[in-house]
Amino acid sequence: MDQIAIFASGTGSNAKAIIQYFDEHESIKVNCLLSNKPSAKALDMAASFGIHTKLISRAELENPMLLIDFLKERGISLIVLAGYLKKIPADMVKAFPNAIINIHPALLPDFGGKGMYGMHVHQAVVEAGVGKSGMTIHYVNEVYDDGGIIFQASVDLEETDQAADVAKKVLTLEHRHYPKVIEQLLLERSK
Ligand code: GAR
């Protein structure tokens, strides 16, 4: 059984799509959901599905080895970032080579990098007046939004679309694709 750990800082709508998709999957299980934010709705959402939840402590943020031990003890084979806004420490990237992935709400390499998250991304897309946006699933390395791209999908934008409209369109794409891309990645790896 492949065991997934989801990291989320916010609402957790992607986390929810992933948890629902893998419910009763024969070889992939969502093992736990971790958050750095006590108020993250994702924590309550995951708990309501019976998923083990964990609030990442300040000590764990400062000393990633503690978190790495926790994840290794639970047999985690893939860390899935779903709206997780803290930087992943280099030690964790080393401890989970090619086993940490992130979803970004734009077509990287455009509209990525430090400070580019959530609505900031969609606002920048609207201001740039581009005709489309989309989502990118990529490996996580030591630099924000810089790891190898695994999958992208795009959506057309209307001239009248505001940041909230773009967010809605992109989120729909994210929910549709993230669980399937995770499944494909893990099934490929276990061949
Ligand atoms: C998603 O749109 C995700 O792509 C984005 O945060 C949102 C989380 O929504 N992530 C980033 O901006 C990371 N740079 P959710 O909590 O409802 O899944």
Side-chain angles (χ1 to χ4, degrees):
M1 214 27 139
D2 269 304
Q3 304 284 342
I4 298 176
I6 303 177
F7 282 36
S9 305
T11 313
S13 70
N14 275 287
K16 184 175 178 187
I18 295 164
I19 288 169
Q20 286 178 320
Y21 189 85
F22 290 112
D23 187 34
E24 299 192 6
H25 193 281
E26 61 176 22
S27 62
I28 300 170
K29 185 176 163 40
V30 176
N31 179 289
C32 51
L33 181 140
L34 285 71
S35 183
N36 60 308
K37 267 186 109 175
S39 61
K41 290 206 178 90
L43 286 168
D44 290 340
M45 179 281 300
S48 77
F49 282 92
I51 304 288
H52 182 86
T53 60
K54 175 177 173 56
L55 183 61
I56 302 170
S57 68
R58 183 173 288 271
E60 286 163 331
L61 281 175
E62 282 163 10
N63 177 4
M65 291 319 288
L66 298 174
L67 214 47
I68 292 168
D69 285 347
F70 170 85
L71 295 165
K72 295 277 183 196
E73 271 161 26
R74 295 189 75 90
I76 300 302
S77 49
L78 187 72
I79 297 173
V80 170
L81 310 186
Y84 183 69
L85 300 181
K86 283 265 177 209
K87 193 149 188 285
I88 297 296
D91 283 341
M92 195 175 292
V93 175
K94 276 201 203 93
F96 290 91
N98 281 332
I100 310 178
I101 64 173
N102 179 43
I103 191 161
H104 185 79
L107 295 168
L108 291 174
D110 295 337
F111 307 107
K114 199 168 181 345
M116 275 296 192
Y117 60 88
M119 276 302 174
H120 299 287
V121 178
H122 305 305
Q123 191 58 45
V125 165
V126 168
E127 281 165 20
V130 286
K132 62 179 182 174
S133 190
M135 47 138 285
T136 304
I137 297 168
H138 64 94
Y139 288 107
V140 171
N141 65 14
E142 289 85 352
V143 182
Y144 269 116
D145 302 331
D146 178 66
I149 290 175
I150 301 165
F151 180 86
Q152 290 187 302
S154 63
V155 61
D156 288 333
L157 301 180
E158 306 296 327
E159 267 178 40
T160 49
D161 279 344
Q162 298 300 304
D165 305 310
V166 182
K168 211 167 155 195
K169 287 182 175 181
V170 170
L171 212 50
T172 302
L173 275 188
E174 294 186 341
H175 297 165
R176 187 183 308 150
H177 293 291
Y178 207 8
K180 289 186 188 155
V181 171
I182 293 166
E183 181 179 40
Q184 224 174 337
L185 195 81
L186 288 172
L187 294 181
E188 283 289 316
R189 252 176 34 173
S190 62
K191 268 186 193 161

